[in-house]
Amino acid sequence: MLVLASTSPYRRELLQRLRLPFECARPEVDETPLPGEEVAPLVRRLAAAKAGAVAAARPGDWVVGSDQAAELDGRILGKPGGREGAVAQLASMSGRVVRFHTGVCLHGPGGVFAAGDVTRVHFRTLARDEIERYVDAEQPFDCAGSFKCEGLGITLFEAIESHDPTGLVGLPLIALAGLLRKAGYALP
């Protein structure tokens, strides 16, 4: 059985694109960054920890773990949690390039495979009223970076640079498909 170590509806919708049967399981993982931990190692560590936590309870299954964080000026931008946090995050990213790091790990009986991706999002210069209209319309409070690129959030950007556009949503399917092939899955 393939198991997604996540309860994120965004990751679940992405994994459904591969048309493989899977289940979802909540990973019990502390997502606190380690002292001095940089963003890329953080998301890879958390992806592996999520996959490993669920795999420990499901021997014989292949488990997918993923994590994402935004980086601006060397600091991590997490989920905003509410309206004011989202408005502040988007204001801080206005006219800037923000790096979104995504880690993915496949853990199972045949080994552990991992990959990572970086997406660079070029934000337009955003007026406060634009930001507030967007936040009120889409309420992206559970999204790193305070936007949903698969929705109205696309209007906030000048450009997106990525090897894997699904990485920005939280589960890099190009990388994951490669990991699944290593594990013996036939795709498509």
Side-chain angles (χ1 to χ4, degrees), residues 112-128:
V112 177
F113 309 105
D117 191 43
V118 178
T119 301
R120 288 167 186 78
V121 178
H122 299 253
F123 281 83
R124 294 184 306 102
T125 300
L126 304 168
R128 174 99 181 172

Side-chain angles (χ1 to χ4, degrees), residues 119-164:
T119 301
R120 288 167 186 78
V121 178
H122 299 253
F123 281 83
R124 294 184 306 102
T125 300
L126 304 168
R128 174 99 181 172
D129 65 320
E130 287 180 292
I131 293 171
E132 290 177 345
R133 280 196 313 272
Y134 169 72
V135 168
D136 292 341
E138 209 151 55
Q139 301 182 2
F141 309 138
D142 63 343
C143 301
S146 303
F147 65 83
K148 298 178 183 179
C149 67
E150 67 277 20
L152 190 58
I154 201 75
T155 65
L156 305 173
F157 313 142
E158 289 181 347
I160 298 174
E161 296 176 62
S162 179
H163 294 102
D164 191 337

Side-chain angles (χ1 to χ4, degrees), residues 29-35 37 42 45-46 67 76:
V29 172
D30 180 1
E31 298 189 35
T32 305
L34 301 174
E37 189 172 30
L42 167 69
R45 177 179 63 81
L46 291 177
D67 194 72
I76 298 171

Side-chain angles (χ1 to χ4, degrees), residues 20-41:
L20 296 171
F22 70 93
E23 297 176 1
C24 293
R26 177 183 302 277
E28 298 298 330
V29 172
D30 180 1
E31 298 189 35
T32 305
L34 301 174
E37 189 172 30
E38 294 183 6
V39 183

Side-chain angles (χ1 to χ4, degrees), residues 29-97:
V29 172
D30 180 1
E31 298 189 35
T32 305
L34 301 174
E37 189 172 30
E38 294 183 6
V39 183
L42 167 69
V43 298
R44 287 184 177 196
R45 177 179 63 81
L46 291 177
K50 291 174 183 181
V54 172
R58 302 198 51 157
D61 290 341
W62 283 99
V63 181
V64 176
S66 187
D67 194 72
Q68 181 189 64
E71 175 187 10
L72 180 63
D73 297 331
R75 64 183 171 85
I76 298 171
L77 300 177
K79 297 174 184 175
R83 185 181 191 279
E84 293 310 311
V87 169
Q89 267 192 1
L90 289 170
S92 73
M93 296 183 290
S94 176
R96 313 272 310 275
V97 177

